[in-house]
Amino acid sequence: MHYPAVQFLRLLLWAFVPQWLVVQSSAASYTLQDSYVGTSFFSGFTFQTFHDPTHGRVDYVSMRDAQRAHLVDTSNTSFIVRVESASTLSPSSPGRKSIRIHSTKQYTTHILVADIWHMPTGCAVWPALWENGAKWPSGGEFDIIEGVNDIRPNLQSLHTSPGCTMSDTGEGPMKGYHNGNQGCGVAGNSMRDFGNAFNAAGGGWFVTERTNKRFTTWFWSRHDPTVPQSVKRGEQRVDTTAFGTPTALFVNSPSCNIVKMFGPHRIILNTSLCGDWAGSARTWSSSGCAARYGSSCDAFVERNPHAFREAYWNISAIRVYETVEPSTLDIDQGLNDQDVGVHTVEDKSVLLDSEFFDAQVPLQVVPIATNEG
């Protein structure tokens, strides 16, 4: 299906949380429900083949085609998915072959632990690990790992349909800092949480907790001595009260009802190239990629296959924990283009501009147009 230019009306949504809104729960203990390791990704996820909703210069391929092209490898301890890096492309081609997978289950309240050795990196590269509902934007969206052009740190964001507002009336206890021009974005506090620096450090662990009262995230680099043993070892139970100060904290409030705004989520992993964020003229230039590779992100992707040898995920495991009452739903795998969700909006290049880091005006999410075409 052809995607016209998507009209987005989202504004920056700051998530500074007043101290009086932050209510620490009693011991939050969770039990392992699903462990995706090696070949279990094939049964737990489906390979999507629709056109990239973010207008990336990619051609998402099926599992069979990915195996034939050697874009996916597995072992007992790893799941590797790559961007194709051997062929030059013509401007009329559908794009460079890449991977987008969706979990076959949806989750509501849960903990996700992503143990990752390597993430895609490089100019034009836009990797993401995220969650959203099957009928986007209804049900909300939670971006766990996202960034472009090897720009650090990692960006974690919430997006919703109309009706969710968080103001900058105070700062909650977290390490990250609020950033971004779309949804509610929090930039990580570690320069090892994204891109080449993440890979050079041996990767690490991203942990997210979703309850009916908040979304919380943590990150530990591979050799961080403070990583909880339950996370490091992939134990059967985890208790978030031992995790320490989070990277990001998004809290329920009268102006943003988490239960109402966020429905069951599937897990999504993908690598796009160029597109609405990485390939926008402003981002391509301000990231330094234009100075090195010319003014066209798409042309760079087409002519330089070897530039994408580092554009791969090497995942040790994705583990999902739930409380005693599991909150998973089987979902229809026959998704159409309108269901897939666009996890970027407008020009995120202002993330690179320091004046946006210091914005002090309360803003809100406003309606967005759906994908039609």
PDB file of all heavy atoms in Angstrom, residues 56-70:
ATOM      1  N   GLY A  56      11.057   4.472   5.407  1.00  0.00           N
ATOM      2  CA  GLY A  56      12.469   4.136   5.356  1.00  0.00           C
ATOM      3  C   GLY A  56      12.861   3.496   4.037  1.00  0.00           C
ATOM      4  O   GLY A  56      12.030   2.948   3.311  1.00  0.00           O
ATOM      5  N   ARG A  57      14.154   3.535   3.742  1.00  0.00           N
ATOM      6  CA  ARG A  57      14.681   2.938   2.502  1.00  0.00           C
ATOM      7  C   ARG A  57      14.998   1.470   2.772  1.00  0.00           C
ATOM      8  O   ARG A  57      16.130   0.994   2.617  1.00  0.00           O
ATOM      9  CB  ARG A  57      15.935   3.714   2.071  1.00  0.00           C
ATOM     10  CG  ARG A  57      16.345   3.447   0.620  1.00  0.00           C
ATOM     11  CD  ARG A  57      15.381   4.093  -0.366  1.00  0.00           C
ATOM     12  NE  ARG A  57      15.770   3.838  -1.750  1.00  0.00           N
ATOM     13  CZ  ARG A  57      15.308   2.817  -2.478  1.00  0.00           C
ATOM     14  NH1 ARG A  57      14.435   1.956  -1.957  1.00  0.00           N
ATOM     15  NH2 ARG A  57      15.706   2.659  -3.729  1.00  0.00           N
ATOM     16  N   VAL A  58      13.957   0.745   3.206  1.00  0.00           N
ATOM     17  CA  VAL A  58      14.105  -0.659   3.570  1.00  0.00           C
ATOM     18  C   VAL A  58      13.019  -1.489   2.901  1.00  0.00           C
ATOM     19  O   VAL A  58      11.938  -0.995   2.570  1.00  0.00           O
ATOM     20  CB  VAL A  58      14.047  -0.880   5.099  1.00  0.00           C
ATOM     21  CG1 VAL A  58      15.277  -0.320   5.775  1.00  0.00           C
ATOM     22  CG2 VAL A  58      12.780  -0.281   5.701  1.00  0.00           C
ATOM     23  N   ASP A  59      13.327  -2.755   2.759  1.00  0.00           N
ATOM     24  CA  ASP A  59      12.390  -3.746   2.247  1.00  0.00           C
ATOM     25  C   ASP A  59      12.314  -4.856   3.291  1.00  0.00           C
ATOM     26  O   ASP A  59      13.204  -5.712   3.365  1.00  0.00           O
ATOM     27  CB  ASP A  59      12.897  -4.287   0.910  1.00  0.00           C
ATOM     28  CG  ASP A  59      12.001  -5.365   0.330  1.00  0.00           C
ATOM     29  OD1 ASP A  59      10.827  -5.443   0.738  1.00  0.00           O
ATOM     30  OD2 ASP A  59      12.487  -6.124  -0.534  1.00  0.00           O
ATOM     31  N   TYR A  60      11.274  -4.836   4.132  1.00  0.00           N
ATOM     32  CA  TYR A  60      11.145  -5.854   5.173  1.00  0.00           C
ATOM     33  C   TYR A  60      10.795  -7.197   4.538  1.00  0.00           C
ATOM     34  O   TYR A  60       9.876  -7.290   3.719  1.00  0.00           O
ATOM     35  CB  TYR A  60      10.067  -5.451   6.180  1.00  0.00           C
ATOM     36  CG  TYR A  60      10.443  -4.264   7.040  1.00  0.00           C
ATOM     37  CD1 TYR A  60       9.577  -3.184   7.182  1.00  0.00           C
ATOM     38  CD2 TYR A  60      11.665  -4.216   7.704  1.00  0.00           C
ATOM     39  CE1 TYR A  60       9.924  -2.100   7.972  1.00  0.00           C
ATOM     40  CE2 TYR A  60      12.020  -3.140   8.501  1.00  0.00           C
ATOM     41  CZ  TYR A  60      11.137  -2.079   8.629  1.00  0.00           C
ATOM     42  OH  TYR A  60      11.481  -0.994   9.411  1.00  0.00           O
ATOM     43  N   VAL A  61      11.520  -8.242   4.934  1.00  0.00           N
ATOM     44  CA  VAL A  61      11.383  -9.536   4.273  1.00  0.00           C
ATOM     45  C   VAL A  61      10.835 -10.586   5.238  1.00  0.00           C
ATOM     46  O   VAL A  61      10.895 -10.443   6.458  1.00  0.00           O
ATOM     47  CB  VAL A  61      12.732 -10.013   3.694  1.00  0.00           C
ATOM     48  CG1 VAL A  61      13.227  -9.027   2.637  1.00  0.00           C
ATOM     49  CG2 VAL A  61      13.780 -10.175   4.801  1.00  0.00           C
ATOM     50  N   SER A  62      10.316 -11.656   4.658  1.00  0.00           N
ATOM     51  CA  SER A  62       9.751 -12.757   5.429  1.00  0.00           C
ATOM     52  C   SER A  62      10.856 -13.561   6.108  1.00  0.00           C
ATOM     53  O   SER A  62      12.048 -13.416   5.784  1.00  0.00           O
ATOM     54  CB  SER A  62       8.953 -13.676   4.513  1.00  0.00           C
ATOM     55  OG  SER A  62       9.824 -14.339   3.608  1.00  0.00           O
ATOM     56  N   MET A  63      10.458 -14.432   7.021  1.00  0.00           N
ATOM     57  CA  MET A  63      11.440 -15.280   7.697  1.00  0.00           C
ATOM     58  C   MET A  63      12.182 -16.147   6.687  1.00  0.00           C
ATOM     59  O   MET A  63      13.416 -16.281   6.749  1.00  0.00           O
ATOM     60  CB  MET A  63      10.764 -16.156   8.743  1.00  0.00           C
ATOM     61  CG  MET A  63      11.722 -17.071   9.496  1.00  0.00           C
ATOM     62  SD  MET A  63      10.912 -18.028  10.794  1.00  0.00           S
ATOM     63  CE  MET A  63       9.964 -19.193   9.795  1.00  0.00           C
ATOM     64  N   ARG A  64      11.452 -16.747   5.746  1.00  0.00           N
ATOM     65  CA  ARG A  64      12.095 -17.610   4.755  1.00  0.00           C
ATOM     66  C   ARG A  64      13.086 -16.824   3.899  1.00  0.00           C
ATOM     67  O   ARG A  64      14.211 -17.287   3.660  1.00  0.00           O
ATOM     68  CB  ARG A  64      11.041 -18.276   3.874  1.00  0.00           C
ATOM     69  CG  ARG A  64      11.626 -19.171   2.789  1.00  0.00           C
ATOM     70  CD  ARG A  64      10.552 -19.944   2.065  1.00  0.00           C
ATOM     71  NE  ARG A  64       9.899 -20.890   2.957  1.00  0.00           N
ATOM     72  CZ  ARG A  64       8.973 -21.760   2.561  1.00  0.00           C
ATOM     73  NH1 ARG A  64       8.591 -21.784   1.290  1.00  0.00           N
ATOM     74  NH2 ARG A  64       8.433 -22.586   3.429  1.00  0.00           N
ATOM     75  N   ASP A  65      12.697 -15.647   3.458  1.00  0.00           N
ATOM     76  CA  ASP A  65      13.604 -14.839   2.647  1.00  0.00           C
ATOM     77  C   ASP A  65      14.798 -14.358   3.462  1.00  0.00           C
ATOM     78  O   ASP A  65      15.917 -14.262   2.941  1.00  0.00           O
ATOM     79  CB  ASP A  65      12.857 -13.640   2.050  1.00  0.00           C
ATOM     80  CG  ASP A  65      11.916 -14.042   0.928  1.00  0.00           C
ATOM     81  OD1 ASP A  65      12.055 -15.175   0.412  1.00  0.00           O
ATOM     82  OD2 ASP A  65      11.030 -13.236   0.575  1.00  0.00           O
ATOM     83  N   ALA A  66      14.561 -14.054   4.736  1.00  0.00           N
ATOM     84  CA  ALA A  66      15.670 -13.646   5.601  1.00  0.00           C
ATOM     85  C   ALA A  66      16.672 -14.782   5.776  1.00  0.00           C
ATOM     86  O   ALA A  66      17.892 -14.560   5.761  1.00  0.00           O
ATOM     87  CB  ALA A  66      15.134 -13.203   6.954  1.00  0.00           C
ATOM     88  N   GLN A  67      16.185 -15.997   5.921  1.00  0.00           N
ATOM     89  CA  GLN A  67      17.083 -17.145   6.063  1.00  0.00           C
ATOM     90  C   GLN A  67      17.848 -17.402   4.768  1.00  0.00           C
ATOM     91  O   GLN A  67      19.053 -17.680   4.800  1.00  0.00           O
ATOM     92  CB  GLN A  67      16.276 -18.372   6.470  1.00  0.00           C
ATOM     93  CG  GLN A  67      15.730 -18.283   7.892  1.00  0.00           C
ATOM     94  CD  GLN A  67      14.756 -19.410   8.223  1.00  0.00           C
ATOM     95  OE1 GLN A  67      13.981 -19.851   7.374  1.00  0.00           O
ATOM     96  NE2 GLN A  67      14.801 -19.876   9.464  1.00  0.00           N
ATOM     97  N   ARG A  68      17.175 -17.291   3.642  1.00  0.00           N
ATOM     98  CA  ARG A  68      17.840 -17.500   2.350  1.00  0.00           C
ATOM     99  C   ARG A  68      18.938 -16.477   2.109  1.00  0.00           C
ATOM    100  O   ARG A  68      19.981 -16.787   1.523  1.00  0.00           O
ATOM    101  CB  ARG A  68      16.816 -17.436   1.233  1.00  0.00           C
ATOM    102  CG  ARG A  68      15.877 -18.638   1.162  1.00  0.00           C
ATOM    103  CD  ARG A  68      14.799 -18.409   0.123  1.00  0.00           C
ATOM    104  NE  ARG A  68      13.937 -19.583  -0.043  1.00  0.00           N
ATOM    105  CZ  ARG A  68      12.811 -19.585  -0.747  1.00  0.00           C
ATOM    106  NH1 ARG A  68      12.414 -18.469  -1.368  1.00  0.00           N
ATOM    107  NH2 ARG A  68      12.091 -20.678  -0.839  1.00  0.00           N
ATOM    108  N   ALA A  69      18.692 -15.247   2.552  1.00  0.00           N
ATOM    109  CA  ALA A  69      19.663 -14.163   2.347  1.00  0.00           C
ATOM    110  C   ALA A  69      20.672 -14.061   3.483  1.00  0.00           C
ATOM    111  O   ALA A  69      21.478 -13.131   3.510  1.00  0.00           O
ATOM    112  CB  ALA A  69      18.922 -12.836   2.193  1.00  0.00           C
ATOM    113  N   HIS A  70      20.610 -14.991   4.418  1.00  0.00           N
ATOM    114  CA  HIS A  70      21.524 -15.010   5.572  1.00  0.00           C
ATOM    115  C   HIS A  70      21.419 -13.725   6.396  1.00  0.00           C
ATOM    116  O   HIS A  70      22.430 -13.209   6.889  1.00  0.00           O
ATOM    117  CB  HIS A  70      22.968 -15.231   5.110  1.00  0.00           C
ATOM    118  CG  HIS A  70      23.159 -16.478   4.290  1.00  0.00           C
ATOM    119  ND1 HIS A  70      23.072 -17.755   4.817  1.00  0.00           N
ATOM    120  CD2 HIS A  70      23.387 -16.638   2.954  1.00  0.00           C
ATOM    121  CE1 HIS A  70      23.260 -18.641   3.861  1.00  0.00           C
ATOM    122  NE2 HIS A  70      23.449 -17.998   2.718  1.00  0.00           N
TER     123      HIS A  70
END
